[in-house]
Amino acid sequence: KYVVHYSKNQATINDKSRTGTYEGVEVTFSGDDRTSPVTETVALKGTLPFACSLQVQNYADDEAEATMTFSYAGVDPCPSPPPGCAMYTEHVSELAYEAILE
């Protein structure tokens, strides 16, 4: 499920309805920009009650370079270890290092 999508059929926050609230979080979308250089922003103010991911789609025929800037105030409660992380072990670290060298 999308929180923000350019199409009104895909999400509540979209190119036609650029501000709103989702799960108690204020969401603002700059809109679907199709003029080069494309600049679009999404801002969420508040705490989402679940993990989320960001997906960016290039609809052009050519490759594009993207710059993403983000900030967050933390995860509460913070799970141990945080998602995407694992407890450090020397053996696993050595295996990962060897894989990089191959």
Side-chain angles (χ1 to χ4, degrees):
K1 181 175 184 175
Y2 296 104
V3 175
V4 177
H5 194 280
Y6 73 91
S7 170
K8 68 179 183 176
N9 298 328
Q10 297 289 327
T12 303
I13 311 302
N14 55 66
D15 199 42
K16 302 292 183 207
S17 180
R18 297 182 182 181
T19 61
T21 303
Y22 182 82
E23 296 284 333
V25 175
E26 294 175 35
V27 183
T28 305
F29 175 42
S30 63
D32 186 22
D33 185 359
R34 297 181 184 204
T35 305
S36 183
V38 171
T39 301
E40 296 180 2
T41 60
V42 174
L44 287 80
K45 185 176 181 182
T47 303
L48 288 171
F50 50 83
C52 66
S53 64
L54 175 67
Q55 296 177 320
V56 179
Q57 178 69 45
N58 175 16
Y59 291 100
D61 293 331
D62 300 324
E63 291 182 2
E65 181 177 314
T67 301
M68 182 178 8
T69 305
F70 72 96
S71 64
Y72 69 99
V75 177
D76 187 25
C78 185
S80 181
C85 297
M87 297 301 291
Y88 173 82
T89 64
E90 187 172 351
H91 176 70
V92 172
S93 178
E94 288 171 353
L95 292 174
Y97 181 72
E98 290 172 8
I100 291 170
L101 295 178
E102 292 179 352

